CSV table of all heavy atoms in Angstrom, one decimal:
chain,number,residue,atom,x,y,z
A,18,GLN,N,-2.0,-6.5,-0.1
A,18,GLN,CA,-2.1,-7.0,1.3
A,18,GLN,C,-0.7,-7.7,1.7
A,18,GLN,O,-0.3,-7.9,2.7
A,18,GLN,CB,-3.3,-8.0,1.4
A,18,GLN,CG,-4.7,-7.2,1.3
A,18,GLN,CD,-4.8,-6.2,2.5
A,18,GLN,OE1,-4.5,-6.6,3.6
A,18,GLN,NE2,-5.0,-4.9,2.2
A,19,GLN,N,-0.1,-8.5,0.7
A,19,GLN,CA,1.1,-9.2,0.9
A,19,GLN,C,2.2,-8.2,1.2
A,19,GLN,O,3.0,-8.5,2.1
A,19,GLN,CB,1.4,-10.2,-0.4
A,19,GLN,CG,2.6,-10.9,-0.1
A,19,GLN,CD,2.5,-12.0,1.1
A,19,GLN,OE1,1.4,-12.7,1.1
A,19,GLN,NE2,3.4,-12.1,1.9
A,20,ILE,N,2.3,-7.2,0.5
A,20,ILE,CA,3.3,-6.2,0.7
A,20,ILE,C,3.2,-5.6,2.2
A,20,ILE,O,4.1,-5.4,2.9
A,20,ILE,CB,3.1,-5.0,-0.3
A,20,ILE,CG1,3.6,-5.5,-1.7
A,20,ILE,CG2,3.9,-3.8,0.1
A,20,ILE,CD1,3.3,-4.4,-2.8
A,21,LEU,N,1.9,-5.3,2.7
A,21,LEU,CA,1.8,-4.8,3.9
A,21,LEU,C,2.1,-5.8,4.9
A,21,LEU,O,2.6,-5.5,6.1
A,21,LEU,CB,0.2,-4.3,4.1
A,21,LEU,CG,-0.2,-3.3,3.2
A,21,LEU,CD1,-1.9,-2.8,3.5
A,21,LEU,CD2,0.5,-2.0,3.3
A,22,ARG,N,1.7,-7.0,4.8
A,22,ARG,CA,2.0,-8.1,5.8
A,22,ARG,C,3.7,-8.1,5.9
A,22,ARG,O,4.2,-8.2,7.1
A,22,ARG,CB,1.6,-9.4,5.4
A,22,ARG,CG,0.0,-9.6,5.7
A,22,ARG,CD,-0.4,-11.1,5.6
A,22,ARG,NE,-0.4,-11.5,4.2
A,22,ARG,CZ,-1.3,-11.5,3.3
A,22,ARG,NH1,-2.5,-10.8,3.7
A,22,ARG,NH2,-1.1,-12.0,2.1
A,23,ASP,N,4.4,-8.2,4.8
A,23,ASP,CA,5.7,-8.3,4.9
A,23,ASP,C,6.5,-7.1,5.4
A,23,ASP,O,7.4,-7.1,6.2
A,23,ASP,CB,6.4,-8.6,3.4
A,23,ASP,CG,6.2,-10.0,3.0
A,23,ASP,OD1,5.6,-10.8,3.9
A,23,ASP,OD2,6.6,-10.5,2.1
A,24,ALA,N,5.8,-5.8,5.1
A,24,ALA,CA,6.2,-4.7,5.7
A,24,ALA,C,6.2,-4.6,7.2
A,24,ALA,O,7.1,-4.1,7.8
A,24,ALA,CB,5.7,-3.5,5.0
A,25,GLY,N,5.0,-5.1,7.7
A,25,GLY,CA,4.9,-5.2,9.2
A,25,GLY,C,6.0,-6.1,9.7
A,25,GLY,O,6.4,-5.7,10.9
A,26,LYS,N,6.2,-7.2,9.1
A,26,LYS,CA,7.3,-8.2,9.7
A,26,LYS,C,8.6,-7.6,9.8
A,26,LYS,O,9.4,-7.9,10.6
A,26,LYS,CB,7.4,-9.4,8.9
A,26,LYS,CG,6.0,-10.3,9.0
A,26,LYS,CD,6.2,-11.5,8.0
A,26,LYS,CE,4.8,-12.3,8.1
A,26,LYS,NZ,4.8,-13.5,7.1
A,27,ARG,N,9.0,-6.6,8.8
A,27,ARG,CA,10.3,-6.0,8.8
A,27,ARG,C,10.3,-4.5,9.4
A,27,ARG,O,11.3,-3.9,9.2
A,27,ARG,CB,10.7,-5.9,7.2
A,27,ARG,CG,10.7,-7.3,6.6
A,27,ARG,CD,11.3,-7.0,5.2
A,27,ARG,NE,11.0,-8.3,4.4
A,27,ARG,CZ,11.6,-8.5,3.1
A,27,ARG,NH1,12.6,-7.6,2.8
A,27,ARG,NH2,11.3,-9.6,2.5
A,28,ALA,N,9.3,-4.3,10.2
A,28,ALA,CA,9.2,-3.1,10.8
A,28,ALA,C,9.4,-1.8,9.9
A,28,ALA,O,10.1,-0.8,10.3
A,28,ALA,CB,10.3,-2.9,12.0
A,29,VAL,N,8.8,-1.8,8.7
A,29,VAL,CA,8.8,-0.7,7.9
A,29,VAL,C,7.9,0.5,8.5
A,29,VAL,O,6.8,0.3,8.8
A,29,VAL,CB,8.3,-1.1,6.5
A,29,VAL,CG1,8.4,0.1,5.5
A,29,VAL,CG2,9.3,-2.2,6.0
A,30,GLU,N,8.5,1.6,8.5
A,30,GLU,CA,7.7,2.8,9.1
A,30,GLU,C,6.7,3.3,8.2
A,30,GLU,O,5.6,3.4,8.7
A,30,GLU,CB,8.8,3.9,9.5
A,30,GLU,CG,9.8,3.5,10.5
A,30,GLU,CD,10.6,4.8,10.9
A,30,GLU,OE1,10.3,5.9,10.5
A,30,GLU,OE2,11.6,4.6,11.6
A,31,ARG,N,7.0,3.5,6.9
A,31,ARG,CA,6.0,4.1,5.9
A,31,ARG,C,6.0,3.4,4.6
A,31,ARG,O,7.1,2.8,4.2
A,31,ARG,CB,6.3,5.5,5.5
A,31,ARG,CG,6.2,6.5,6.9
A,31,ARG,CD,6.8,7.9,6.5
A,31,ARG,NE,6.6,8.7,7.7
A,31,ARG,CZ,7.6,8.9,8.5
A,31,ARG,NH1,8.8,8.3,8.3
A,31,ARG,NH2,7.6,9.7,9.6
A,32,ILE,N,5.0,3.3,3.9
A,32,ILE,CA,4.9,2.7,2.6
A,32,ILE,C,4.2,3.8,1.7
A,32,ILE,O,3.3,4.3,2.0
A,32,ILE,CB,4.0,1.5,2.6
A,32,ILE,CG1,4.7,0.4,3.5
A,32,ILE,CG2,4.0,0.8,1.2
A,32,ILE,CD1,3.6,-0.7,3.8
A,33,HIS,N,5.0,4.3,0.7
A,33,HIS,CA,4.6,5.1,-0.3
A,33,HIS,C,4.0,4.6,-1.5
A,33,HIS,O,4.6,3.4,-2.0
A,33,HIS,CB,5.8,6.1,-0.5
A,33,HIS,CG,6.3,6.9,0.5
A,33,HIS,ND1,5.8,8.1,0.9
A,33,HIS,CD2,7.2,6.6,1.5
A,33,HIS,CE1,6.5,8.6,2.0
A,33,HIS,NE2,7.3,7.6,2.3
A,34,VAL,N,3.1,5.3,-2.3
A,34,VAL,CA,3.0,4.9,-3.6
A,34,VAL,C,2.4,6.2,-4.3
A,34,VAL,O,1.9,7.1,-3.7
A,34,VAL,CB,1.9,3.8,-3.5
A,34,VAL,CG1,0.5,4.3,-3.0
A,34,VAL,CG2,1.6,3.3,-5.0
A,35,ALA,N,2.7,6.2,-5.5
A,35,ALA,CA,2.2,7.3,-6.3
A,35,ALA,C,1.4,6.6,-7.6
A,35,ALA,O,2.0,5.7,-8.2
A,35,ALA,CB,3.2,8.2,-6.9
A,36,CYS,N,0.2,7.2,-8.0
A,36,CYS,CA,-0.5,6.5,-9.1
A,36,CYS,C,-1.4,7.6,-9.7
A,36,CYS,O,-1.7,8.6,-9.2
A,36,CYS,CB,-1.4,5.4,-8.4
A,36,CYS,SG,-2.6,6.0,-7.3
A,37,SER,N,-1.7,7.3,-10.9
A,37,SER,CA,-2.8,8.1,-11.6
A,37,SER,C,-4.3,7.7,-11.0
A,37,SER,O,-4.5,6.6,-10.5
A,37,SER,CB,-2.8,7.8,-13.1
A,37,SER,OG,-3.2,6.5,-13.2
A,38,ASP,N,-5.1,8.7,-11.1
A,38,ASP,CA,-6.4,8.5,-10.5
A,38,ASP,C,-7.3,7.9,-11.6
A,38,ASP,O,-8.3,8.7,-12.1
A,38,ASP,CB,-6.9,9.9,-10.0
A,38,ASP,CG,-8.2,9.8,-9.0
A,38,ASP,OD1,-8.5,8.6,-8.9
A,38,ASP,OD2,-8.5,10.9,-8.6
A,39,GLU,N,-7.0,6.7,-11.9
A,39,GLU,CA,-7.8,6.0,-12.8
A,39,GLU,C,-7.8,4.6,-12.5
A,39,GLU,O,-6.9,4.0,-11.8
A,39,GLU,CB,-7.4,6.3,-14.3
A,39,GLU,CG,-5.9,5.8,-14.5
A,39,GLU,CD,-5.4,6.1,-15.9
A,39,GLU,OE1,-5.8,7.0,-16.5
A,39,GLU,OE2,-4.3,5.6,-16.2
A,40,GLY,N,-8.7,3.8,-13.2
A,40,GLY,CA,-8.7,2.4,-13.0
A,40,GLY,C,-8.8,2.0,-11.4
A,40,GLY,O,-8.5,0.7,-11.2
A,41,GLY,N,-9.4,2.7,-10.7
A,41,GLY,CA,-9.6,2.3,-9.3
A,41,GLY,C,-8.4,2.3,-8.4
A,41,GLY,O,-8.3,1.8,-7.3
A,42,ASN,N,-7.3,3.0,-8.9
A,42,ASN,CA,-6.0,3.0,-8.3
A,42,ASN,C,-6.1,3.6,-6.7
A,42,ASN,O,-5.8,3.0,-5.9
A,42,ASN,CB,-5.1,3.7,-9.0
A,42,ASN,CG,-4.4,3.0,-10.1
A,42,ASN,OD1,-4.3,1.8,-10.1
A,42,ASN,ND2,-4.0,3.7,-11.2
A,43,VAL,N,-6.6,4.9,-6.8
A,43,VAL,CA,-6.6,5.6,-5.6
A,43,VAL,C,-7.7,4.8,-4.5
A,43,VAL,O,-7.4,4.5,-3.3
A,43,VAL,CB,-7.2,7.0,-5.7
A,43,VAL,CG1,-7.5,7.7,-4.3
A,43,VAL,CG2,-6.1,7.8,-6.4
A,44,GLU,N,-8.8,4.4,-4.9
A,44,GLU,CA,-9.8,3.6,-4.2
A,44,GLU,C,-9.2,2.4,-3.6
A,44,GLU,O,-9.4,1.9,-2.4
A,44,GLU,CB,-11.0,3.3,-4.9
A,44,GLU,CG,-11.9,4.4,-5.4
A,44,GLU,CD,-11.3,5.1,-6.5
A,44,GLU,OE1,-10.3,4.8,-7.1
A,44,GLU,OE2,-11.9,6.3,-6.9
A,45,LEU,N,-8.3,1.7,-4.5
A,45,LEU,CA,-7.7,0.3,-3.9
A,45,LEU,C,-6.8,0.6,-2.8
A,45,LEU,O,-6.8,-0.1,-1.7
A,45,LEU,CB,-6.9,-0.1,-5.2
A,45,LEU,CG,-5.9,-1.3,-4.8
A,45,LEU,CD1,-6.6,-2.5,-4.4
A,45,LEU,CD2,-5.0,-1.5,-5.9
A,46,PHE,N,-5.9,1.7,-2.9
A,46,PHE,CA,-4.9,2.0,-1.7
A,46,PHE,C,-5.8,2.5,-0.5
A,46,PHE,O,-5.3,2.2,0.7
A,46,PHE,CB,-3.9,2.8,-2.3
A,46,PHE,CG,-3.0,2.2,-3.2
A,46,PHE,CD1,-2.9,2.4,-4.5
A,46,PHE,CD2,-1.9,1.2,-2.7
A,46,PHE,CE1,-2.1,1.8,-5.4
A,46,PHE,CE2,-1.1,0.6,-3.5
A,46,PHE,CZ,-1.2,0.9,-4.9
A,47,MET,N,-6.7,3.2,-0.7
A,47,MET,CA,-7.4,3.8,0.4
A,47,MET,C,-8.1,2.7,1.2
A,47,MET,O,-8.3,2.7,2.4
A,47,MET,CB,-8.5,5.0,0.0
A,47,MET,CG,-7.7,6.3,-0.5
A,47,MET,SD,-8.7,7.6,-0.9
A,47,MET,CE,-9.1,8.2,0.8
A,48,GLN,N,-8.6,1.8,0.4
A,48,GLN,CA,-9.3,0.6,1.0
A,48,GLN,C,-8.2,-0.2,1.9
A,48,GLN,O,-8.6,-0.9,2.8
A,48,GLN,CB,-10.0,-0.2,-0.1
A,48,GLN,CG,-10.7,-1.6,0.5
A,48,GLN,CD,-11.2,-2.4,-0.6
A,48,GLN,OE1,-11.2,-2.0,-1.8
A,48,GLN,NE2,-11.9,-3.5,-0.3
A,49,ALA,N,-6.9,-0.3,1.5
A,49,ALA,CA,-5.9,-0.9,2.2
A,49,ALA,C,-5.4,-0.1,3.2
A,49,ALA,O,-4.4,-0.6,4.0
A,49,ALA,CB,-5.0,-1.2,1.2
A,50,GLY,N,-5.8,1.1,3.6
A,50,GLY,CA,-5.5,1.8,4.7
A,50,GLY,C,-4.5,3.1,4.4
A,50,GLY,O,-4.1,3.7,5.3
C-alpha cells in the first residue's frame, strides 16, 4: 500500500511484479488491485 501511494504521487503509469504462486503472493497483489 505504501508503494502504491508513492507511485500515485509520482505519476507512475504501471507497477509490475512477478512472484511464485505460494505463500499467498498472488492473492495479496490481487487484493491490492
Side-chain angles (χ1 to χ4, degrees):
Q18 290 300 309
Q19 183 64 48
I20 291 172
L21 295 181
R22 282 193 293 270
D23 284 3
K26 295 176 183 177
R27 304 189 193 189
V29 176
E30 293 184 13
R31 297 177 182 85
I32 303 174
H33 296 265
V34 66
C36 60
S37 61
D38 195 357
E39 61 182 20
N42 283 328
V43 174
E44 293 80 2
L45 169 71
F46 287 106
M47 294 187 73
Q48 183 180 359

